Amino acid sequence: MTAPYPGRCACGAVTLEISGEPIATRQCWCRQCQQLAAGGPTNNAIVKADDVAIEGELASSTWVAASGNTLTFHFCPGCGTQIFAQSSARPHLKTMRLGALDAGHGLKPDAVIWTDDAPEWAHLDPALEAWPQQPPPPPQAV
């Protein structure tokens, strides 16, 4: 499948559409993502902020990540579904949660990051580019 990529939260109060192709797709094992994902990684598509349309109310939470950047996570206040994250280092991008996209979107991680934080039982795909911590930004993201 190619853009557009529609999606929604679990309760349907928030809908979204990504109109452009992702700059990168990543699986993140940082401790904060593990906390958000009930112990597993988050799976994300990094897209231009201008390529995302969202309808519905979002709540947010902000903290400083291990990378040193301030991250703001946006989620549905009704059901808690994570919609996207945004880094202070790249406010022109949104890190969209693949779980918020409608089934059949066809996106999958092309890299796994923060592997140093992954628990010993984690299964990391050896075919993916791997980064022990924060990778450099994708070339188109600068």
Side-chain angles (χ1 to χ4, degrees):
M1 186 174 188
T2 59
Y5 300 101
R8 67 198 80 262
C9 66
C11 72
V14 175
T15 59
L16 66 101
E17 184 171 274
I18 302 169
S19 60
E21 292 300 321
I23 293 169
T25 52
R26 294 179 173 165
Q27 182 178 82
C28 183
W29 280 97
C30 77
R31 280 298 303 146
Q32 289 155 326
C33 281
Q34 289 179 56
Q35 289 170 322
L36 292 171
T42 60
N43 294 287
N44 309 291
I46 301 168
V47 300
K48 295 176 185 173
D50 291 343
D51 286 350
V52 179
I54 298 174
E55 292 187 21
E57 179 185 349
L58 290 175
S60 65
S61 182
T62 300
W63 61 75
V64 176
S67 65
N69 298 321
T70 299
L71 292 179
T72 303
F73 295 87
H74 300 268
F75 55 93
C76 173
C79 65
T81 300
Q82 286 280 315
I83 305 297
F84 73 95
Q86 206 158 21
S87 172
S88 61
R90 290 176 284 287
H92 60 291
L93 301 176
K94 290 184 177 179
T95 301
M96 305 299 296
R97 304 296 188 209
L98 295 185
L101 300 179
D102 288 350
H105 55 74
L107 298 175
K108 61 182 181 175
D110 55 25
V112 58
I113 65 174
W114 288 94
T115 59
D116 280 358
D117 287 356
E120 61 186 38
W121 49 261
H123 294 280
L124 306 178
D125 186 342
L128 297 179
E129 178 182 9
W131 293 88
Q133 295 183 343
Q134 183 71 28
Q140 307 93 321
V142 181

